Amino acid sequence: MTEPHQNYLWWQEGIIYQIYPRSFQDSNGDGIGDIPGISTRLDYVQSLGVTTIWLSPIFPSPMADFGYDISDYQDVSPLFGSLADFDVLLTEVHSRGMKLILDLVPNHTSSQHPWFLESRSSRDNPKRDWYIWQDGRPDGSPPNNWLSVFGGSGWEWDEPTQQYYYHGFLKEQPDLNWRNPVVQEAMFTAIRFWLDKGVDGFRVDVIWHLIKDNQLRDNPVNPDYEPHMATYDQLVPVYSTDQPEVHDLIRQMRQLVDTYEERLLIGEIYLPVQQLMAYYGVDGNEVHLPFNFQLLLLPWEAPQIATAIAEYERALPVNGWPNWVLGNHDRPRIASRVGTEQARVAALLLLTLRGTPTLYYGDEIGMRDVAIPFDEVQDPQGLNMPEKNLSRDPERTPMQWNSQPNAGFTEGKPWLRLARDFARQNVDQQQADPYSMLALYKRLIDLRQQEPSLKAGDYLPVYSDAQLIAYIRHIKNAPRFLIVLNLSHHPAYFTLTDHALKGIVEVATLPEWEGSFISETISLGGDEGILVRLTT
Ligand code: NOJ
């Protein structure tokens, strides 16, 4: 069994809170959230008990993909403020004992980045080889069949220089050629710039896309494609992503990060568990945390979730630290996906599993996806494939702070409309309500941070069936906890086969449970979950 006095690193003990800067807090009335706005909300973030803030991109950008198209890696977009504003934020975060990590987007730049402007200026420009340029096939068609994640071909024809360039996302986001060592060095310079400033690490965007097959072979057809899926899913991206050479690059990145004290590298990786594990590296020499997105992707059914947890735990390499993500800016919000009541169960699950939890701003107050009328859609993924309902705007709407106009987010016109019911669903209102989602999150976070078993203890599955998941978290010489979750909307019954187990409910989705004595059979209503402090 795990020993309690083992030393854990800050990111192992911590809880990550993702802020989407456009939507957190506007300070200058332009309707777009900014860095000074975030600084004014740090008391709130700290009051949640989370320990680490991850900021989605804040760098200069034409905003074709809302900051994931960067035109300068070593500055801050004027929309979000200045480098000086950033320094203030970083100091404020650190003075509160919290950490700040940034989004690093090394796979592609903006098509307006000076590197790309030079690269496309002529075939013999010294930066030509910084991007992936290729002749067309003899009939003039693109070099291969690779598709863009955002729809259509991944290749864009450049008339003046008579070649195609590759873009895994928008044509405004040309992919860098990471086989070129000069490119690697340029990105490493940007990494150093922020680490020198004192940022605590990076979440690395689409890290598994970084390097492509050097023969640019066609991707095979996906036999499981269905018409409702994104067009990108018509092929299996075996040659355009997850190439063996990517691991060499990540090792280099990690070596660089390791020259600074205790910095964190997280990889954004959407891959099946076995492939995901490779990104921890041999002896942990790649990313510290390859994001584990299973809770975002799996159907919300007890058998699937229980199996996924078990498989993930089993697949982890020795010393590989687990992590769990419940929401992000690319996926429908948890409260919309599973319902507001069940989202409370999801919170209990996220904050009692073994491994670093990542939560997405607003989920702690149960924010739901907001329907954005067609003529207000902003997300390129939504605009490019209108018939597929893939816009990510609904999960990116402004934070609901209070019942003032625009929920206290801005004094101007918000860049995306707010939820209609924000006057009833907001931070202020939930802070005053001991039964709120916010109150539940705070209690769970607080307990997790206090109890060694919850923070770092082993995960012991106890039971699962069509409705329920039950597990114990325990560490040597510390109180143990039993967690029983009903992932269905109907009553469910759980009998402790180990009759020696007894305890008191400490936190529950339905607070009326709290303080109840537990032994033998537990009758849980639909959408209920309990966390029991075991007394025997
Ligand atoms: C993943 C990011 O999370 C997403 O928002 C973005 O559109 C793509 N990478 C492209 O950078």
Side-chain angles (χ1 to χ4, degrees), residues 35 82-92 194 197:
I35 292 172
S82 63
L83 269 177
D85 294 328
F86 177 79
D87 291 339
V88 171
L89 175 68
L90 185 59
T91 309
E92 287 287 314
W194 295 103
K197 273 196 171 295

Side-chain angles (χ1 to χ4, degrees), residues 65 68 105 108 150 169 173 203 205-206 268 329-330 392 396:
D65 187 20
Y68 285 94
V105 188
H108 44 267
F150 291 148
F169 295 87
Q173 295 168 296
R203 169 269 192 191
D205 192 66
V206 294
E268 186 209 19
H329 62 295
D330 293 329
R392 298 167 295 179
R396 297 176 174 180

Side-chain angles (χ1 to χ4, degrees), residues 18 20 54 56-57 65-69 103 105 107-108 149-150 168-170 173 203-206 208-209 268 270 293 328-330 379-381 392 396:
Q18 181 191 355
Y20 194 67
W54 151 33
S56 282
D65 187 20
F66 297 108
Y68 285 94
D69 49 321
D103 220 304
V105 188
N107 177 68
H108 44 267
V149 172
F150 291 148
F169 295 87
L170 296 176
Q173 295 168 296
R203 169 269 192 191
V204 188
D205 192 66
V206 294
W208 85 112
H209 282 239
E268 186 209 19
Y270 285 91
F293 293 126
N328 69 28
H329 62 295
D330 293 329
D379 177 27
Q381 179 167 280
R392 298 167 295 179
R396 297 176 174 180

Side-chain angles (χ1 to χ4, degrees), residues 9-12 52 90 94 99-102 191-203 253-266 284 286-289:
L9 296 166
W10 59 267
W11 50 268
Q12 295 177 310
T52 303
L90 185 59
H94 283 164
K99 306 281 186 184
L100 184 66
I101 65 173
L102 294 182
I191 293 178
R192 278 189 212 100
F193 174 82
W194 295 103
L195 292 176
D196 286 339
K197 273 196 171 295
V199 308
D200 298 289
F202 300 96
R203 169 269 192 191
M253 228 179 247
R254 173 63 181 273
Q255 269 170 21
L256 165 56
V257 167
D258 280 351
T259 60
Y260 295 77
E261 215 174 321
E262 285 199 9
R263 308 297 166 96
L264 171 65
L265 265 189
I266 301 178
E286 296 188 32
V287 294
H288 298 94
L289 300 175

Side-chain angles (χ1 to χ4, degrees), residues 236-254:
V236 188
V238 288
Y239 292 115
S240 49
T241 64
D242 194 32
Q243 299 302 290
E245 301 97 314
V246 77
H247 297 285
D248 302 329
L249 291 177
I250 301 176
R251 276 194 289 277
Q252 285 186 53
M253 228 179 247
R254 173 63 181 273

Side-chain angles (χ1 to χ4, degrees), residues 103-346:
D103 220 304
L104 181 76
V105 188
N107 177 68
H108 44 267
T109 68
S110 160
S111 54
Q112 296 309 308
H113 194 296
W115 298 341
F116 188 70
L117 295 178
E118 276 193 55
S119 183
R120 85 184 304 177
S121 67
S122 78
R123 283 203 188 197
D124 51 18
N125 183 278
K127 290 205 171 58
R128 186 67 172 181
D129 193 36
W130 281 42
Y131 293 84
I132 303 171
W133 290 99
Q134 202 64 29
D135 292 335
R137 290 180 179 156
D139 67 355
S141 62
N144 66 22
N145 69 353
W146 295 359
L147 298 172
S148 156
V149 172
F150 291 148
S153 168
W155 295 95
E156 179 71 9
W157 178 247
D158 183 59
E159 189 60 30
T161 60
Q162 295 283 300
Q163 274 191 317
Y164 285 94
Y165 67 85
Y166 177 65
H167 57 91
F169 295 87
L170 296 176
K171 67 179 186 335
E172 292 84 2
Q173 295 168 296
D175 279 44
L176 283 161
N177 173 17
W178 271 85
R179 294 184 182 273
N180 181 345
V182 191
V183 168
Q184 299 170 10
E185 203 33 60
M187 199 58 70
F188 295 162
T189 302
I191 293 178
R192 278 189 212 100
F193 174 82
W194 295 103
L195 292 176
D196 286 339
K197 273 196 171 295
V199 308
D200 298 289
F202 300 96
R203 169 269 192 191
V204 188
D205 192 66
V206 294
I207 201 168
W208 85 112
H209 282 239
L210 274 191
I211 208 157
K212 287 83 183 164
D213 176 47
N214 60 3
Q215 297 170 52
L216 301 178
R217 281 170 279 188
D218 274 351
N219 281 325
V221 168
N222 178 4
D224 301 323
Y225 178 73
E226 288 174 27
H228 66 88
M229 295 176 167
T231 47
Y232 178 73
D233 296 322
Q234 288 169 347
L235 305 178
V236 188
V238 288
Y239 292 115
S240 49
T241 64
D242 194 32
Q243 299 302 290
E245 301 97 314
V246 77
H247 297 285
D248 302 329
L249 291 177
I250 301 176
R251 276 194 289 277
Q252 285 186 53
M253 228 179 247
R254 173 63 181 273
Q255 269 170 21
L256 165 56
V257 167
D258 280 351
T259 60
Y260 295 77
E261 215 174 321
E262 285 199 9
R263 308 297 166 96
L264 171 65
L265 265 189
I266 301 178
E268 186 209 19
I269 304 160
Y270 285 91
L271 283 176
V273 165
Q274 287 306 333
Q275 282 154 276
L276 185 69
M277 293 303 157
Y279 287 76
Y280 280 102
V282 179
D283 296 330
N285 62 0
E286 296 188 32
V287 294
H288 298 94
L289 300 175
F291 260 154
N292 168 15
F293 293 126
Q294 294 182 92
L295 298 181
L296 290 180
L297 303 174
L298 285 171
W300 200 258
E301 302 284 345
Q304 274 98 325
I305 304 268
T307 307
I309 301 169
E311 281 177 359
Y312 180 72
E313 282 278 344
R314 213 176 307 129
L316 279 167
V318 183
N319 297 327
W321 188 258
N323 78 93
W324 296 92
V325 180
L326 195 59
N328 69 28
H329 62 295
D330 293 329
R331 302 280 155 173
R333 283 188 181 272
I334 185 71
S336 285
R337 215 151 52 81
V338 304
T340 301
E341 290 305 312
Q342 187 61 219
R344 297 171 76 92
V345 176

